[in-house]
Every structure is written in C-alpha cells, then in structure tokens.
Amino acid sequence: HVQLVESGGGSVQAGGSLKLSCVASGNTYGRLCMGWIRQPPGKEREGVGVIESDGKIRYGDSVKGRVTISRDNAQTTVYLQMNTLKPEDSAVYYCAVKRGLCGSWWWKACEYNHWGQGTQVTVS
C-alpha cells in the first residue's frame, strides 16, 4: 500500500501562486504514476497533471501553461507549482498514485487506487 500526504493548500487571490507537496511512503517501489487530481465544488474529480517514473509529465488542458509538476530525486515527493491562479482553480487537490504507466486515461480519477486526504485551494 502507498500512503500519500498532501500539504501546501490555502487561500490566495486571483493571479497568485501556490505550491502543493505530496509525500509518498509505504510500498513506493517499482514504476509509479504520480498525479494531481482536483475536485471543484459540486463537480467530479478531474486530472491536473501526472509524472511518470521516467519523468514524463502531462498536464490537463485547463491548467497547461500555468502549473508545473516536479519530483525529488528519491521519487517520493511530488510538487505542483500553480501560478496565475483563477477562481475556477478552487478545489480540493488530491495526490493520487497508480502502479505502472500513467496511460492515456491518466486524467480519470478511477485510474488511481491510492489517494491522499486532499488539500483545499481557494482562489478569490
């Protein structure tokens, strides 16, 4: 099992920035797809971006150009740097992990079987 703990959420004004962190522990061996999934109020969860074990990164269209995913060398901490935030970015942001490749359906929440508790991001 993989345990995930997010941090870094908060409230920010439109145009501001936030950096989220996700620390993975437990059975983190092997190829893992680590991603950020968000859930806006009253909406379904949607993919923000993912990073493969080989470092390949994908971003969702709604955030492309405004967010950057990075990872530490031990591949146990993933970061989400968000810039030029908009009110529509307000959501609970989850760190999520699946084993193997991220795949073409990486943006679907059902692809992931390990989840963090989520961290709230509010943009006003």
Side-chain angles (χ1 to χ4, degrees):
H1 190 70
V2 178
Q3 291 83 41
L4 303 168
V5 178
E6 304 100 334
S7 61
S11 296
V12 64
Q13 291 188 338
S17 299
L18 279 176
K19 186 173 185 178
L20 308 184
S21 300
C22 170
V23 178
S25 60
N27 188 2
T28 59
Y29 301 103
R31 188 189 297 266
L32 294 178
C33 167
M34 299 185 71
W36 289 95
I37 309 292
R38 69 184 183 184
Q39 186 165 21
K43 297 184 179 181
E44 295 185 352
R45 296 185 182 186
E46 60 181 18
V48 177
V50 291
I51 182 167
E52 305 261 16
S53 290
D54 64 3
K56 181 179 179 180
I57 297 173
R58 308 186 199 197
Y59 297 107
D61 289 340
S62 62
V63 300
K64 199 172 294 183
R66 299 188 296 118
V67 306
T68 303
I69 290 178
S70 60
R71 185 179 59 197
D72 70 342
N73 290 335
Q75 301 193 17
T76 57
T77 302
V78 176
Y79 305 96
L80 178 67
Q81 175 69 48
M82 301 187 290
N83 301 319
T84 320
L85 284 163
K86 305 175 182 180
E88 52 263 44
D89 293 318
S90 297
V92 178
Y93 283 71
Y94 297 93
C95 180
V97 164
K98 61 174 285 188
R99 297 205 173 274
L101 298 173
C102 293
S104 299
W105 304 104
W106 67 267
W107 48 272
K108 296 175 69 76
C110 61
E111 289 286 301
Y112 301 89
N113 45 21
H114 303 281
W115 292 83
Q117 81 285 357
T119 185
Q120 178 71 48
V121 171
T122 302
V123 185
S124 59

